Amino acid sequence: MKILTLPLYGIGDTLMTTPAIEVLKKNLDCRIVNICMFKGTYEVLKNNPYIDELIYFPFFERGILKSLKFIFSLEKFDCSINFYPSNRKQYNILSLLTGAKYRIGHRYFKRDFMELNFLKNQTLKEDMTLHNVEENLRLLEFLGIKTDKSPEMRIYLDEKEIKQGEQLVKALSKKAVKIGIHTGTSRFKGHKQRRWSEEKFLELINSLPDIDFFIFGTEEEKQENEFIFNNAKYSNVIIIQNKPIREVASIITHLNAFISNDSGLMHIASALGIPTVAIFGPTNPAWVRPWKVKHRVVRIELSCSPCFYYSPEPLKCHSGLDFKCLKDIDVSTVKNALESLL
C-alpha cells in the first residue's frame, strides 16, 4: 500500500506525527511518502527510518501553478493522511488533488465546513480531551491498526551530529548543570502572545548563578535573547542564535533540562528525552504537553483558559484580560518546577 502523509505548518505538530508514522510502518506493509513545506519540518523528519521518502516542497514560495505541477507529478497513492491538526482548506484541497482513493483525516468542531474538511472521505470527529499524538494514532484505525500504546516522539540524529553537539557544549560551558531555554514561539497568527516575558526569564536566570543557560533562537527572538544576555548578572548565558534545527537538536541532547514556552523547541527537547518545563498560557497542555518525557507543566487556572482552538483565525484574548493566564505566571513557580526535575 502506498501512503502519502501531507504537510503540517509547525515543527511541534510535525514531531507529534512521528509516533503514528512508526506504528503505521510497523503494522502495515506500506510505502510511506511524507511531504514537508518548510525546511524546519523537513529537518526534524530527516533520517526517520519509518519514512520511505521525504520530500521538501515550499508551496508558499513556489506559487499556485508550480505547486499544481508538483502535485500532479507525484506518484499515485492508495491513501493520503491529513494528520492533526490540519483544519485548513489548503490541506484538504491538496489531499483531493493527490487523487488518493482514501483520504483520511479529522472533522473539526469549528469552521469544519468552511475549511472544506468534507473533501476527505475517511474521517472522525476530533476529541477535545486527547493529546495530538493520540489524535494521530486514532486515524490509523481506518487502516485496521488499533493500539493503546504509543511510542515516544523522535528526531533521529546520527553519531556525527551527536558528537558535534557534545563538543560544542563542552567548549561553551564548564558548569555541571546546563539548562536550555527557548524564549520564543512562532509569530504566525498572533502566536507571539504565547511567550512568557523576557524580564521573567532574566529574573529566573539571575536567581540560579551556578547553572549555565543555553538560550536558543532565530531573528524572531533576537531582541529578547540579547536583553537577557546583556542583563544577566553572572555571565552564565550562552546564546545559540540562527543555527540549523538539527544542530540545535544536537546541542539540546547534551543538556540537563529545558525550559520553554509552548513551542517547536519544547517538542524537540521532548523528542530527545530531555526533562522539560513547559510554560503554558492560552494553549491547551492536554493537546500539546511534552509527550512521554519527564516534564512539568506550568500554567494558571482561569475560567477562560485555555482558550486557543485550532483554526485559521489569529490568537486573541477574548476575555479582555490581556493574556493574564501567561503574564501572571511568577518566576518562583517556574523555578520550583525546574528544581523538581533536577
Side-chain angles (χ1 to χ4, degrees):
M1 188 178 210
K2 292 190 289 187
I3 298 173
L4 179 66
T5 59
L6 295 169
L8 285 166
Y9 183 87
I11 286 173
D13 291 333
T14 299
L15 280 170
M16 286 184 283
T17 70
T18 58
I21 290 171
E22 180 176 340
V23 170
L24 174 60
K25 188 66 175 178
K26 286 181 174 179
N27 287 274
L28 188 68
D29 183 13
C30 62
R31 168 177 162 78
I32 299 175
V33 176
N34 188 294
I35 297 177
C36 299
M37 60 181 175
F38 297 105
K39 200 64 177 178
T41 55
Y42 175 86
E43 290 298 321
V44 297
L45 292 179
K46 187 178 176 181
N47 294 343
N48 188 308
Y50 304 105
I51 297 174
D52 296 288
E53 183 178 359
L54 187 62
I55 300 172
Y56 168 59
F57 187 87
F59 288 94
F60 291 146
E61 296 176 16
R62 299 293 173 86
I64 293 176
L65 291 180
K66 289 183 179 179
S67 295
L68 288 173
K69 183 178 180 181
F70 164 74
I71 293 164
F72 293 135
S73 72
L74 293 170
E75 62 184 289
K76 299 303 179 184
F77 293 90
D78 303 297
C79 170
S80 67
I81 303 177
N82 285 84
F83 280 122
Y84 191 85
S86 53
N87 190 21
R88 289 180 69 86
K89 61 175 70 73
Q90 291 88 344
Y91 298 138
N92 295 316
I93 292 171
L94 175 57
S95 175
L96 180 69
L97 292 177
T98 64
K101 181 178 180 181
Y102 301 106
R103 300 183 299 279
I104 295 173
H106 286 82
R107 301 298 298 265
Y108 293 81
F109 288 113
K110 293 186 179 181
R111 299 175 62 95
D112 182 74
F113 187 82
M114 188 180 301
E115 298 304 326
L116 310 183
N117 286 295
F118 57 84
L119 293 179
K120 295 170 288 199
N121 57 17
Q122 301 286 312
T123 61
L124 49 80
K125 272 285 188 183
E126 63 177 329
D127 185 333
M128 305 295 284
T129 67
L130 297 180
H131 193 281
N132 285 14
V133 168
E134 296 169 310
E135 286 282 27
N136 290 328
L137 288 167
R138 289 173 69 209
L139 293 177
L140 304 186
E141 294 179 18
F142 289 114
L143 297 169
I145 301 169
K146 189 168 184 178
T147 179
D148 295 325
K149 295 181 179 180
S150 165
E152 297 85 355
M153 299 186 301
R154 289 292 185 210
I155 176 170
Y156 292 89
L157 302 175
D158 60 36
E159 291 184 9
K160 182 179 178 181
E161 290 172 316
I162 293 170
K163 188 66 176 177
Q164 287 175 339
E166 180 184 24
Q167 291 172 345
L168 182 58
V169 169
K170 285 182 177 179
L172 293 174
S173 170
K174 304 303 179 185
K175 291 183 180 176
V177 180
K178 304 166 183 26
I179 306 297
I181 285 182
H182 186 214
T183 61
T185 59
S186 168
R187 293 176 182 263
F188 184 63
K189 294 192 301 181
H191 283 206
K192 188 177 179 182
Q193 301 294 346
R194 292 189 282 131
R195 298 183 180 190
W196 200 45
S197 75
E198 60 196 56
E199 292 84 5
K200 290 188 175 181
F201 275 116
L202 175 64
E203 184 181 341
L204 174 67
I205 290 168
N206 283 339
S207 72
L208 295 165
D210 295 327
I211 293 175
D212 270 345
F213 289 90
F214 285 69
I215 313 294
F216 296 86
T218 64
E219 289 300 313
E220 291 194 351
E221 297 89 3
K222 184 176 181 180
Q223 179 181 329
E224 293 95 327
N225 292 353
E226 287 185 350
F227 170 81
I228 292 170
F229 180 83
N230 291 331
N231 292 280
K233 292 180 180 178
Y234 302 106
S235 300
N236 60 338
V237 171
I238 299 151
I239 293 184
I240 307 295
Q241 191 81 15
N242 294 324
K243 296 292 186 182
I245 202 69
R246 293 185 70 83
E247 185 174 343
V248 167
S250 75
I251 295 168
I252 292 175
T253 197
H254 297 289
L255 303 181
N256 300 97
F258 202 81
I259 306 169
S260 180
N261 302 306
D262 168 24
S263 73
L265 288 196
M266 177 192 79
H267 291 293
I268 286 179
S270 302
L272 294 167
I274 304 303
T276 301
V277 176
I279 303 171
F280 277 83
T283 50
N284 192 341
W287 302 343
V288 292
R289 68 188 180 276
W291 181 253
K292 287 211 165 183
V293 68
K294 188 178 179 182
H295 71 275
R296 301 288 184 270
V297 168
V298 178
R299 64 184 296 265
I300 293 176
E301 293 283 350
L302 296 177
S303 60
C304 58
S305 179
C307 63
F308 172 74
Y309 185 81
Y310 292 119
S311 83
E313 296 179 351
L315 177 62
K316 296 178 181 177
C317 184
H318 296 284
S319 68
L321 297 176
D322 192 27
F323 295 99
K324 179 182 176 71
C325 58
L326 186 62
K327 292 180 177 179
D328 281 9
I329 294 175
D330 60 70
V331 172
S332 63
T333 304
V334 176
K335 183 177 179 179
N336 290 339
L338 175 63
E339 289 175 341
S340 73
L341 284 180
L342 295 178

